């Protein structure tokens, strides 16, 4: 048997998704294809939007507990992109964008700043940092004057002295344009514990690299091609809403250097969104605009006609989103991705599958059903690069806060505009808040996830995302719906189908 004979096994996507059912990722399964290439031959390069290409199909969601400068820098270093959330002031969001774009290394440190007249009364003021920076204004946006190391402060006799009396003036620093290998080599050659990275234009301290950082990153899987713009800086996206004030927000973001803007709305089929899309394309024609969220073909056509360069697909499919439960509106994510991408493909508009990603198999399904990239929220939450500090819950687990942008917690900060509820007298939650356990660095677990994605592509017989789309549209890719028992059989269930009393589920090694 040469692997080319067609059997009447399974169903082509056009048949499966025309039966009136709303399927999630777990509802469907692909049948195996013919393998004639090694896993390493799988190409994961793709397009975020019409004019932005990525080497990995990974997008960090614009959520305030997921994507700020550290996450954005890490995703760009891996070959994906981060979308900076807008649950803040326009100047704060623009500052985060500038911070992410000013780096050439795959992380950003939490920097601590003081003015020359300040004093340090407790070691707690250092946080987890080995030093604090002293600048003219006591904030990041001014020239670096000196550095106070934790060890220097601890040996200080008079703890009430002003930092200007004992700081290290004109400290050793490196240009922020240095890449990770350059910085790591310098630290090793000079046998330094840490080195500040400084913006060459204005002398502003923008990052701190420690020898511990270097050792950690050297132990991670090798990074692929980073996502860089025409200016040689990391690609960074940002979210805005559909209100008139968002036009001023966008102006600040464009000045900060964003490469793409996401019109962030839970239901993108609105006059407000189409008007904003047209405004962006008219005012900033070189800026790629991504619309959404949509789940139907008629929603997709409306935004494509308005001029979008990309579409974000998903409504109520996220782990902390309750829109389908509260509002009875939405669509199963597998069906939504297939239906929207079928229309978007005709117009050359890439699709972002947003929500419902719990494992590498969901990546395989989202991309094989027509998406060009996958947006992650809970998948990245709890990582080292996610905003927030770690704490320990009552069971002793190390966790970080994670909340849906439709939660009342997030809405009090301004995200209610995303749900068109900022003018409503009563606020109705369409999401929840909670905690997720420590996942470590995305620089470690995303490469392993991508390797699992490559193996999934190999099993269905496709060597690239583009090839998967071709197989989908030609009917060569065959699918079936899984019963509840089949879903149980396909996973490890404690005391269930496989008879295990207990088990340990490792992600990678």
């Amino acid at each position: 048997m040469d692997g080319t004979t067609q059997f009447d096994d399974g169903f082509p996507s056009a048949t499966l998704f025309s039966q009136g059912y709303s399927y999630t990722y777990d509802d469907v399964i692909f049948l195996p294809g013919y393998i004639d290439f090694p896993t390493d031959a799988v190409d994961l390069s793709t397009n975020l939007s019409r004019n932005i290409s990525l080497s990995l199909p990974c997008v960090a969601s614009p959520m305030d507990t997921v994507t700020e400068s550290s996450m954005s820098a890490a995703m760009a270093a891996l070959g994906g992109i981060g979308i900076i959330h807008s649950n803040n002031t326009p100047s704060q969001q623009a500052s985060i964008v500038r911070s992410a774009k000013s780096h050439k290394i795959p992380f950003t440190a939490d920097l601590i700043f003081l003015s020359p007249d300040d004093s340090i009364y407790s070691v707690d003021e250092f946080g987890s940092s080995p030093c604090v920076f002293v600048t003219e204004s006591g904030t990041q946006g001014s020239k670096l004057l000196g550095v106070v190391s934790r060890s220097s402060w601890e040996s200080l006799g008079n703890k009430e002295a002003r930092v200007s009396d004992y700081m290290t003036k004109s400290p050793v620093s490196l240009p922020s344009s240095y890449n990770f290998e350059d910085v790591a080599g310098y630290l090793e050659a000079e046998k330094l514990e840490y080195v500040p990275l400084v913006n060459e234009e204005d002398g502003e301290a923008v990052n701190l690299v420690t020898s511990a950082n270097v050792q950690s990153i050297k132990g991670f899987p090798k990074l692929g091609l980073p996502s860089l713009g025409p200016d040689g800086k990391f690609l960074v996206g940002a979210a805005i809403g559909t209100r008139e004030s968002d036009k001023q927000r966008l102006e600040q973001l464009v000045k900060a250097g964003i490469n793409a803007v996401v019109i962030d709305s839970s239901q993108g089929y609105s006059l407000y969104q189409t008007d904003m899309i047209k405004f962006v394309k008219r005012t900033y024609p070189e800026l790629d605009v991504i619309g959404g969220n949509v789940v139907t073909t008629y929603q997709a056509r409306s935004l494509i006609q308005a001029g979008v360069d990309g579409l974000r697909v998903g409504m109520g499919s996220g782990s902390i989103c309750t829109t389908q439960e509260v509002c009875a509106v939405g669509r199963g994510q597998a069906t939504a991705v297939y239906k929207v991408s079928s229309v978007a493909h005709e117009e050359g508009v890439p699709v972002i599958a947003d929500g419902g990603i719990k494992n590498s198999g969901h990546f395989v399904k989202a991309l094989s059903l027509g998406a060009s990239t996958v947006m992650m929220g809970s998948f990245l939450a709890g990582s080292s690069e996610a905003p927030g500090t770690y704490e320990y819950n009552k069971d002793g687990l190390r966790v970080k806060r994670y909340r849906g942008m439709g939660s009342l917690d997030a809405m009090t900060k301004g995200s209610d505009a995303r749900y068109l509820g900022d003018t409503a007298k009563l606020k109705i939650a369409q999401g929840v808040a909670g905690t997720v356990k420590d996942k470590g660095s995305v620089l470690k677990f995303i490469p392993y996830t991508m390797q699992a994605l490559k193996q999934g592509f190999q099993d269905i017989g496709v060597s690239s995302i583009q090839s998967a789309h071709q197989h989908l549209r030609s009917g060569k890719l065959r699918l079936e719906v899984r019963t509840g028992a089949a879903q149980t059989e396909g996973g490890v269930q404690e005391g269930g189908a496989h008879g295990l009393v207990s088990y340990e589920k490792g992600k990678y090694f």
Side-chain angles (χ1 to χ4, degrees), residues 472-488:
L472 175 75
R473 291 188 292 271
S474 69
K476 191 173 182 180
L477 187 66
R478 311 294 281 193
L479 304 90
E480 287 182 344
V481 176
R482 295 199 294 176
T483 64
Q487 292 182 42
T488 299

Side-chain angles (χ1 to χ4, degrees), residues 29-225:
I29 193 76
F30 295 124
L31 301 188
Y34 181 64
I35 299 173
D36 58 359
F37 55 88
T39 306
D40 289 343
V42 176
D43 179 12
L44 297 181
S45 62
T46 188
N47 270 55
L48 172 77
S49 55
R50 289 186 194 270
N51 304 300
I52 297 178
S53 59
L54 305 173
S55 58
L56 290 182
C58 299
V59 185
S61 179
M63 304 173 71
D64 59 7
T65 50
V66 176
T67 310
E68 290 187 350
S69 58
S70 289
M71 182 65 73
S72 189
M75 294 302 291
L78 287 164
I81 191 171
I83 311 297
I84 307 296
H85 71 87
S86 59
N87 214 19
N88 46 25
T89 67
S91 60
Q92 288 171 336
Q93 189 182 18
S95 177
I96 294 171
V97 170
R98 283 192 295 270
S99 175
K101 290 190 71 69
S102 67
H103 296 89
K104 282 291 186 69
I105 58 176
F107 67 90
T108 63
D110 292 325
L111 307 181
I112 301 169
F113 296 91
L114 295 173
S115 74
D117 293 331
D118 287 331
S119 298
I120 302 174
Y121 298 103
S122 168
V123 71
D124 294 338
E125 294 184 45
F126 287 89
S128 59
S129 177
C131 68
V132 297
F133 292 159
V134 183
T135 64
E136 292 175 343
S137 66
T139 63
Q140 183 169 3
S142 62
K143 186 177 180 180
L144 179 65
L145 301 178
V147 168
V148 177
S149 68
R150 182 193 295 259
S151 57
S152 296
W153 179 85
E154 289 175 337
S155 63
L156 191 67
N158 178 17
K159 295 291 196 291
E160 295 186 358
R162 297 187 308 174
V163 294
S164 58
D165 294 339
Y166 60 90
M167 69 183 183
T168 301
K169 299 177 180 178
S170 302
V172 173
S173 63
L174 292 176
S176 59
S177 59
Y178 273 35
N179 61 32
F180 178 73
E181 289 73 20
D182 294 335
V183 178
Y186 183 83
L187 281 172
E188 184 176 357
E190 300 297 323
K191 294 182 170 44
L192 296 175
E193 180 189 359
Y194 61 82
V195 62
L197 301 187
V198 174
N199 190 319
E200 297 167 273
E201 297 175 3
D202 51 22
E204 175 187 335
V206 297
N207 212 349
L208 178 72
V209 183
T210 69
S211 55
N213 296 144
V214 170
Q215 292 309 311
S216 294
I217 291 178
K218 283 185 175 179
F220 294 157
K222 184 175 174 58
L223 301 178
L225 293 174

Side-chain angles (χ1 to χ4, degrees), residues 362-403:
H362 290 165
F363 272 87
V364 177
K365 291 176 182 180
L367 296 167
S368 298
L369 288 174
S372 293
T373 55
V374 172
M375 182 170 277
M376 299 162 286
S378 64
F379 199 82
L380 303 177
S383 64
S384 305
E385 293 78 9
T389 57
Y390 286 110
E391 55 190 60
Y392 289 89
N393 67 10
K394 63 181 181 180
D395 297 319
L397 284 176
R398 194 167 184 248
V399 298
K400 269 188 182 181
R401 294 284 296 170
Y402 176 54
R403 65 189 185 191

Side-chain angles (χ1 to χ4, degrees), residues 62-64 85-90 92-93 239-243 245-246 249 264-266 403-424 427-428:
M63 304 173 71
D64 59 7
H85 71 87
S86 59
N87 214 19
N88 46 25
T89 67
Q92 288 171 336
Q93 189 182 18
I240 64 169
T242 58
R243 296 295 184 253
S245 59
D246 286 294
R249 178 184 289 269
D264 194 20
S265 178
S266 65
R403 65 189 185 191
M405 298 305 282
S407 67
L408 291 179
D409 195 19
M411 282 185 172
T412 60
K413 301 293 185 180
S415 71
D416 49 352
R418 183 178 192 269
Y419 296 83
L420 303 180
D422 52 328
T423 59
K427 306 295 184 185
I428 304 299

